């Protein structure tokens, strides 16, 4: 039986690749795609989701735009990483269909309410839409299986010394999500920085004989530019968001620890920090599976296999 999922994203190069991988899979039933502001402004992230689905000829999947800004803060975007469009690099088709007239959270609610099986939410951007859904539709939470999110870190951040970008953009939303009681899988920087794509991996993807793989290679060509900055110490480019899909389809690629995770919303230097209690130093109950290691060669093989199916 297919696993019903809703993909909430802010495309973004790695979000786009995550969408492509999810839609290559017969194991997942993608009920909807919703978008958040984050990697770019909300109009651009919505347009980018429509472009990716147009590339894949998946006009059957409803797409809805979400919150225009974080719950309590002004929007911060990562155009220095993803470029002016949010998906700079390849020439993507213009959207061949329109988003639905519903908002992201009303579309989520409709799909969760209608689903015969519990739905997995897969947010790969700031958690604003997920927090709004939780607050607005508490009666539907019993039909949520889990939240598999990209965000946070048990160690250092990538937007501030303490915080990962998605959590930093809307820490109040993240705080609500981690306090929700819904089972959470956290794909944070500890694991995504290990999920690097190297130059030779990009060439392996480019050699796959289909236009989707060629587009992914071109997305990665652009994404690599930012990550070549020596300050990061990377050999390649970390593919953050696709780790969520790899977890859903190949969890054996990962190791994890069950932890309590709290979100710092007020710290002068630590706003957006995910405080991960690895050693049970508090009496707080575990609220997340925190991914800590990945089989990188297996992860690359997973991507190549999925892209070869287009």
């Amino acid at each position: 039986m297919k696993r019903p999922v809703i993909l909430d994203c802010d495309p973004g190069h790695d979000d786009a690749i995550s969408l492509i991988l999810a839609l290559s899979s017969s194991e997942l039933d993608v009920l909807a795609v919703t978008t958040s502001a984050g990697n770019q402004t909300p109009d651009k992230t919505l347009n980018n989701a429509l472009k990716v689905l147009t590339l894949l000829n998946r006009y059957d999947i409803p797409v809805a735009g979400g919150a225009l800004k974080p719950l309590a803060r002004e929007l911060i975007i990562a155009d220095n990483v993803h470029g002016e469009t949010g998906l700079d690099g390849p020439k993507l088709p213009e959207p061949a269909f329109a988003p639905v007239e519903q908002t992201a959270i009303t579309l989520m609610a409709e799909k969760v309410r209608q689903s015969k099986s519990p739905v997995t939410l897969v947010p790969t951007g700031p958690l604003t839409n997920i927090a709004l859904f939780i607050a607005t539709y508490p009666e539907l939470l019993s039909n949520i299986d889990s939240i598999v999110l990209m965000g946070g870190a048990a160690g250092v951040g990538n937007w501030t010394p303490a915080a990962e970008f998605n959590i930093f953009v809307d820490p109040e939303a993240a705080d609500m999500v981690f306090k929700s009681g819904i089972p959470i899988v956290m794909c944070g920087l500890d694991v995504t920085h290990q999920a690097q794509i190297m130059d030779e991996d990009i060439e392996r993807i480019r050699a796959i004989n289909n236009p989707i793989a060629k587009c992914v290679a071109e997305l990665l060509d652009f994404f690599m530019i930012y990550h070549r900055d020596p300050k990061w110490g990377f050999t390649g480019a970390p593919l953050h968001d696709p780790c969520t899909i790899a977890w859903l389809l190949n969890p054996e690629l990962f190791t994890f620890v069950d932890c309590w995770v709290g979100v710092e919303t007020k710290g002068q230097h630590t706003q957006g920090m995910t405080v991960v209690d690895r050693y049970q130093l508090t009496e707080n109950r575990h609220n997340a599976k925190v991914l800590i290691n990945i089989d990188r060669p297996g992860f690359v093989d997973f991507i190549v296999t999925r892209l070869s199916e287009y």
Side-chain angles (χ1 to χ4, degrees), residues 33-57:
V33 172
T34 56
T35 60
S36 63
N39 285 329
Q40 254 294 354
T41 55
D43 55 327
K44 292 180 180 180
T45 59
L46 176 59
N47 195 53
N48 287 344
L50 294 168
K51 283 182 175 182
V52 172
L53 293 179
T54 296
L55 174 71
L56 301 176
N57 293 312

Side-chain angles (χ1 to χ4, degrees), residues 27 69 145 221:
E27 300 99 316
K69 62 182 291 294
D145 175 82
D221 288 339

Side-chain angles (χ1 to χ4, degrees), residues 20 55 61 82 86 115 117 124 131 140 175 201 206 213 225 231:
I20 290 167
L55 174 71
I61 298 175
H82 299 278
S115 181
S117 301
T124 53
L140 296 179
D175 185 46
D201 302 323
R206 203 185 318 273
I225 295 170
K231 72 182 180 185

Side-chain angles (χ1 to χ4, degrees), residues 23-24 30 52-63 97:
L23 290 166
S24 74
V30 179
V52 172
L53 293 179
T54 296
L55 174 71
L56 301 176
N57 293 312
R58 292 302 304 268
Y59 314 136
D60 56 308
I61 298 175
V63 180
F97 68 112

Side-chain angles (χ1 to χ4, degrees), residues 7 12 16 53 56 68 85 88 150 152 184 214 255 278 283:
L7 307 178
L53 293 179
L56 301 176
L68 301 181
T85 67
D88 282 11
M150 189 279 129
I184 290 172
K214 178 176 181 291
T255 59
R278 285 281 301 269
E283 295 182 357

Side-chain angles (χ1 to χ4, degrees), residues 1-3 22-29 249 306 309:
M1 185 176 180
K2 289 187 175 184
R3 181 175 191 159
L23 290 166
S24 74
S25 166
S26 60
E27 300 99 316
L28 300 180
D29 180 12
L249 299 175
R306 294 291 169 169
E309 294 179 4

Side-chain angles (χ1 to χ4, degrees), residues 61-127:
I61 298 175
V63 180
L68 301 181
K69 62 182 291 294
L71 296 180
R73 302 172 188 265
E74 293 307 309
L75 177 63
I76 297 165
I77 63 171
D79 52 343
N80 59 325
V81 183
H82 299 278
E84 179 61 28
T85 67
L87 283 180
D88 282 11
K91 183 172 176 54
L92 291 164
E94 289 303 310
F97 68 112
V100 297
E101 293 185 359
Q102 295 160 281
T103 66
I105 65 166
T106 56
L107 179 60
M108 284 181 191
E110 175 186 291
K111 294 301 180 181
V112 171
R113 187 180 289 114
Q114 292 174 349
S115 181
K116 294 180 180 178
S117 301
V119 175
T120 299
L121 304 179
V122 188
T124 53
L127 291 168

